[in-house]
Amino acid sequence: MTDYQTPGEFVRATMAAKGWTQTDLAFALGTTTAAVNQILSNKRGISANMARALGTALDCAPEAFARVQAEWDVRNAEPPADDVAARSRVLTKYPLREMIKRGWIDLEHGKGSVEEQVCRFFNVDSIEAVPSIRHSAKKTDYDVDMPPSQLAWLFRVRQIASEMPVVPFSKVGLERAVEAMREKRADETDVRYVPRLLNEAGVRFVVVESLPGSKIDGVCFWLDDSSPVIGMSLRFDRIDNFWFVLMHECAHVLHGHGRDAAIVDSELDMLTSVNEEEAIANREAAAFCVPPDKLQSFFLRKKPFFAEIEVMAFAKRVGAHPGLVVAQLQRMLNRYDLLRRHLVTIRDQLARAMMMDGWGDTIPVDK
């Protein structure tokens, strides 16, 4: 920062060093004394062209005049609106633009400022506060920092689940629901029964489209001792991924996992059993999709060639959709091109039975 407080002071001092008067400088610049006086009194700013002219006339770097003028302009500029700082604080910590795009934060019609809305969304008193919900992840360290996109997704699931009316949770009811869903895993259209079966067991089932880059598949947590929540993102709209992730989270609920800290499962397709809770959920989810002993027998008998007609016949024998069998065979063979057409989509079927947050729709909640 220069020692001169105004551009006029700097020009006046540079003139004095040469022993010049205003008239002398005006003559050198080819302008009027009145014009020079306006610069000296800070009534006229020093443009880039004038900075170069002054530099030539006064044997000084033109950048010096431009810098003093810029510093003066900044000091005298209007202060930014209050929401600039607020939005900056939020953007530093959370994916605000995506939250606005998805309708989770409403700048036009929402109650309060953007900062107040975000605080309500995350259930905190201030932007600097740590989110009030604890979480664990599919890692050996249960206290790892959660990426902002996953954190926002998790809180959106909780926000929706908190307003869902369901009966008190029944473990026996969920076990019966799982058995009922087992009978419906052969037909992709039967996924429409899932929301009702879970609701009747007292499980809050929420589907929220994942935020870009979050790579989140599902979550299990409890609002209280009798209110488990299963959240899914349908990151992969395939029948095999749907049933595996759903049963993975159901297993967590049935074993009482996630009571103390939300269990967030990301990239389940690549998941290895890094702890006992995940190992249990993986085994039970895989067994639900295709009985492992029967799959292993079929695999050993038919490898390395799996004719489509034989795969479909096997799927029918075990009461599973062919896509569930194909997905397992793809992993076992490391051949993800095998019979891919059987990995059918299910999101449209599920949307007929429940409201889902995302894909152009926003579930209304009390904000």
Side-chain angles (χ1 to χ4, degrees):
M1 180 72 180
T2 179
D3 293 334
Y4 301 100
Q5 294 300 308
T6 71
E9 287 181 8
F10 182 55
V11 175
R12 193 182 299 278
T14 310
M15 285 168 47
K18 289 181 71 70
W20 281 10
T21 65
Q22 294 184 39
T23 304
D24 293 330
L25 180 58
F27 178 79
L29 293 173
T31 188
T32 64
T33 302
V36 171
N37 184 265
Q38 284 187 312
I39 292 175
L40 297 179
S41 60
N42 302 300
K43 295 179 180 178
R44 174 183 175 185
I46 300 175
S47 66
N49 288 339
M50 179 56 73
R52 295 197 64 175
L54 288 169
T56 300
L58 297 171
D59 297 324
C60 185
E63 292 82 6
F65 296 103
R67 182 169 59 252
V68 173
Q69 181 66 52
E71 292 172 350
W72 169 257
D73 290 342
V74 170
R75 285 200 305 274
N76 289 276
E78 291 291 328
D82 292 339
D83 62 352
V84 172
R87 293 186 190 193
S88 177
R89 286 194 297 271
V90 176
L91 277 171
T92 300
K93 199 170 182 66
Y94 304 119
L96 177 60
R97 292 176 59 211
E98 284 297 328
M99 294 167 69
I100 294 171
K101 181 179 178 181
R102 295 282 294 275
W104 301 353
I105 301 295
D106 188 345
L107 296 185
E108 289 190 29
H109 307 103
K111 301 174 185 177
S113 67
V114 60
E115 197 161 353
E116 290 170 337
Q117 290 190 56
V118 171
C119 286
R120 281 200 302 273
F121 180 89
F122 285 105
N123 195 26
V124 294
D125 296 327
S126 69
I127 292 299
E128 291 73 23
V130 176
S132 59
I133 189 169
R134 292 181 57 229
H135 70 276
S136 57
K138 68 169 191 71
K139 300 179 181 178
T140 53
D141 181 359
Y142 267 45
D143 293 319
V144 295
D145 291 332
M146 182 180 292
S149 58
Q150 290 190 5
L151 186 66
W153 183 89
L154 172 60
F155 271 82
R156 181 58 175 175
V157 171
R158 188 183 72 163
Q159 187 180 55
I160 295 171
S162 297
E163 298 192 3
M164 293 178 66
V166 296
V167 300
F169 171 66
S170 165
K171 181 178 179 181
V172 173
L174 180 55
E175 289 172 342
R176 290 173 178 167
V178 169
E179 287 307 307
M181 287 186 280
R182 192 186 305 276
E183 299 302 315
K184 299 184 182 302
R185 73 194 196 283
D187 187 339
E188 66 268 23
T189 65
D190 285 347
V191 300
R192 67 186 187 276
Y193 294 107
V194 168
R196 176 178 59 81
L197 290 169
L198 291 176
N199 184 276
E200 291 173 350
V203 177
R204 289 167 164 83
F205 179 52
V206 182
V207 176
V208 176
E209 181 185 3
S210 61
L211 294 176
S214 65
K215 297 183 179 179
I216 201 164
D217 292 302
V219 64
C220 164
F221 63 90
W222 298 67
L223 296 176
D224 54 52
D225 288 340
S226 61
S227 304
V229 177
I230 289 177
M232 289 180 61
S233 71
L234 302 187
R235 185 165 68 97
F236 297 111
D237 183 12
R238 300 193 316 255
I239 191 169
D240 61 304
N241 187 262
F242 171 77
W243 283 119
F244 184 84
V245 174
L246 178 61
M247 288 303 116
H248 186 98
E249 306 307 338
C250 283
H252 280 319
V253 174
L254 287 170
H255 290 280
H257 302 161
R259 287 183 179 272
D260 297 324
I263 298 178
V264 175
D265 293 303
S266 61
E267 299 185 87
L268 275 180
D269 274 3
M270 302 167 59
L271 185 63
T272 56
S273 301
V274 295
N275 58 60
E276 186 59 25
E277 289 183 351
E278 293 300 332
I280 290 171
N282 277 345
R283 285 196 301 270
E284 295 188 9
F288 174 92
C289 292
V290 185
D293 54 340
K294 295 180 180 179
L295 176 65
Q296 186 66 16
S297 174
F298 176 73
F299 180 79
L300 293 175
R301 285 186 290 108
K302 300 297 180 180
K303 67 178 293 191
F305 303 109
F306 294 89
E308 182 173 21
I309 190 171
E310 293 179 332
V311 171
M312 295 182 68
F314 172 71
K316 185 175 182 178
R317 285 199 303 274
V318 298
H321 189 279
L324 302 184
V325 177
V326 168
Q328 296 277 20
L329 292 176
Q330 286 182 347
R331 291 186 180 91
M332 296 168 78
L333 294 167
N334 195 28
R335 275 195 53 198
Y336 293 94
D337 60 326
L338 179 69
L339 303 176
R340 286 188 58 85
R341 73 183 188 88
H342 291 288
L343 304 182
V344 297
T345 61
I346 53 83
R347 195 179 75 210
D348 289 344
Q349 300 293 338
L350 192 62
R352 297 175 183 177
M354 67 179 296
M355 292 185 66
M356 298 191 292
D357 194 86
W359 302 283
D361 294 317
T362 302
I363 295 178
V365 296
D366 182 10
K367 300 177 181 179

